[in-house]
Amino acid sequence: MDIQTIDHLCELSKLNFNDEEKQKVMEEMSAIIELMDTVKEIDLTYDDTKDNNSIKYSEVRKDEAKPSYPTEKLLSNTEPQDNCYVVPKMVE
Amino acid sequence: MDINKVSLSGLRKALDEKEISAVELAKEYLSKIKTVDPEIEGYITVTEEQALESAKRAQELIDGGDSKPLTGIPLAIKDNICTDGIRTTCASKMLENFVPPYNATVIEKLNEQGYVLLGKSSMDEFAMGGSTQTAAFSKTKNPYDTNRVPGGSSGGSAAIVSAGTAPAALGSDTGGSIRQPSSFCGVTGLKPTYGRVSRYGLIAFASSLDQIGPIANSAEDCGILLNAVAGADEHDATSARVPVGDFNARIGQSIEGMRIALPQEFFGESTDDEVKQAVTDAAKEYEKLGATLVDCHMSSLKYAVAAYYLISGAEAASNLSRFDGIKYGLRGEGRSFDEMIRDSRSRGFGAEVKRRILLGNYALSSGYYDAYYRKALALKQQIIKEYNEIYEKADVILTPTAPTVAYRIGEQETDPVKMYLADICTVTVNIASLPAISLPCGYNSDGMPIGMSLVGKRFDEATLIQTADAYQRNFAAVPNKYRA
């Protein structure tokens, strides 16, 4: 685990750390990855065909329109403008 | 009526026989919460007004002769289960002010029975942890010793039941989060089979492992709660389309001839001697009740913690990518979309949640996926195979719930590797989608509760409740000072 890997993981995870925090995170993640490395000791191969997928697509609910939640309730957890979610400008 | 000593069926009887009204009962608990909870910090939100209103409605049902098992019964609900119009925080700054616009299916089912919500219980942030000390607020204490952790992540629910500030509660269990705090707080907690209870409205952590379940004072009380919340749900495609009977139907039946397996690896060096002794003594009690003890092995156990953290981390990294501060949750600042999302997440999530996301993205990233994530999935298949082999010669499995009793606050929870390794006794149950119940089986030399777990076959919760109840009938529980 090095700073470049941590920077890459921060990009994937959309997280920021300052330099001091980054050092601490790197040490912690190194110890965690060392623990995860124990899985390399055992010789096993994942068999995709045996995966226990119990969801039967014939049993999913019918595609019927039903009343949804009230807009004002859904917008109550943000600061909307004109019933829209507001985000920073994405396209110049 | 002494609320410290009654069961859910005792409360039902008292309400139906008008020994106490639903409003009086709610007031008793609300009053106890005011006295006790400042010391325990089990609740994040106490819903006094709603509790009294729903108690009034419940009393009308009782007066009309329409009571169901939970009509007028006060409960606490873990704060990762959505409650319409009531703040649901996941003990995270990210959701500090989040008010869900809908109820989780389990809440709808409890409402159908006319239950009374006392409040939302604390937990490790986003259910990631085993101490309830990663909570951004209400870092719960253990009622047996407030200098110790209550366990986690459902530490609030377990401590509340243990201290008697609710007669029962709902928690959730991804790798032991119902069973381990139940063990630490000397109460009974049931993690149902994966798919047994709908997770619609449970804020997702690791979707192939998460399950909602009850924490209560006995196996029988857990059964009453499970009866109310179990069943298929059109809103959750992973909820199982299997029949739901009465989980308490076999209570009181003999366990003569029951085969109980004890996998040796669970009684290794990492488990405290006092814990091993208490669970071994409990196994002998089962022998006296007519059960047969079966020796067995689970050789993949030493890889289970790593497999669990790789799978759950990967799923958490994906599930928590929804928290971007746009539609709900803490809103950060930034001139661009990317800057704003990163600021929201960096300020909203605590240290442990960030570690799990980083680990998950590491396991899923290019170059590491096969070595870590797929290997963990291979181990999942191996663990399932080993459980199936044990169940060829046993009906239930008996293990310690945790390698130790509750430890002192600050002693362990700041070291992530130590914390992860402490999950060794519980994670395989979630990996294999099995049901398990933790119940107290003794106290160590400091008077702290020791828990044991019974693990059952898929969808065989009734056998677990029967077997746990058989032990509890002869077990002398030692109440903490809040229940004395």
Side-chain angles (χ1 to χ4, degrees), chain A residues 33 35-37 39, chain B residues 303-316 359-360 362-364 371-373 375-377 379:
Chain A
I33 298 303
L35 172 63
M36 299 305 130
D37 279 340
V39 301
Chain B
Y303 308 111
V305 166
Y308 167 77
Y309 276 90
L310 289 165
I311 294 170
S312 64
E315 294 180 18
L359 170 62
Y362 182 77
L364 291 174
Y372 291 106
Y373 184 64
K375 188 53 108 35
L377 292 180
L379 270 158

Side-chain angles (χ1 to χ4, degrees), chain B residues 465-479:
Chain B
I465 289 171
Q466 176 197 4
T467 315
D469 175 77
Y471 180 84
Q472 283 184 323
R473 281 166 188 255
N474 300 314
F475 179 72
V478 179

Side-chain angles (χ1 to χ4, degrees), chain B residues 28 41 47 77 97 109 116 133 142-143 216-217 230 237 276 281 312 332 349 394 409 427 470 482:
Chain B
E28 285 238 19
E41 294 189 81
T47 50
I77 303 291
N97 300 307
K109 283 175 174 265
V116 173
Q133 306 307 298
N142 191 310
N217 287 303
K276 274 189 264 195
D281 289 347
S312 64
F349 293 141
I409 293 169
V427 291
Y482 303 101

Side-chain angles (χ1 to χ4, degrees), chain B residues 409-431:
Chain B
I409 293 169
E411 205 171 75
Q412 181 169 317
E413 69 275 16
T414 48
D415 181 339
V417 170
K418 248 188 189 174
M419 284 300 295
Y420 297 176
L421 287 169
D423 294 337
I424 184 76
C425 298
T426 47
V427 291
T428 55
V429 165
N430 302 72
I431 290 172

Side-chain angles (χ1 to χ4, degrees), chain A residues 69-70 72-74 76-77, chain B residues 45-51 53 79 81-89 95-104 107-108 111 115 117 119-120 201 203:
Chain A
Y69 301 111
E72 61 273 19
K73 234 176 172 181
L74 295 174
S76 66
N77 283 297
Chain B
T45 307
V46 177
T47 50
E48 181 168 359
E49 209 177 299
Q50 290 96 331
E53 276 172 26
D79 211 20
I81 297 173
C82 286
T83 39
D84 188 357
I86 296 165
R87 194 169 74 118
T88 299
T89 70
L95 294 176
E96 188 168 3
N97 300 307
F98 174 62
V99 179
Y102 69 102
N103 275 326
I107 300 298
E108 289 292 338
N111 278 338
Y115 92 118
L117 172 67
K120 304 298 292 288
I203 296 172

Side-chain angles (χ1 to χ4, degrees), chain A residues 50 52, chain B residues 193 259 261 263 294 296-300 379-397 428-429 431-435 455-459:
Chain A
K50 273 192 186 167
N52 177 26
Chain B
T193 310
R259 298 166 304 165
V294 179
C296 68
H297 288 277
M298 181 170 280
S299 56
S300 59
L379 270 158
K380 174 179 175 164
Q381 291 180 332
Q382 178 65 21
I383 288 165
I384 291 170
K385 186 170 160 260
E386 289 181 23
Y387 266 115
N388 288 341
E389 284 165 6
I390 295 173
Y391 286 125
E392 280 173 17
K393 53 184 181 181
D395 303 300
V396 295
I397 297 170
T428 55
V429 165
I431 290 172
S433 306
L434 300 171
V455 184
K457 296 174 186 171
R458 290 184 79 210
F459 301 108

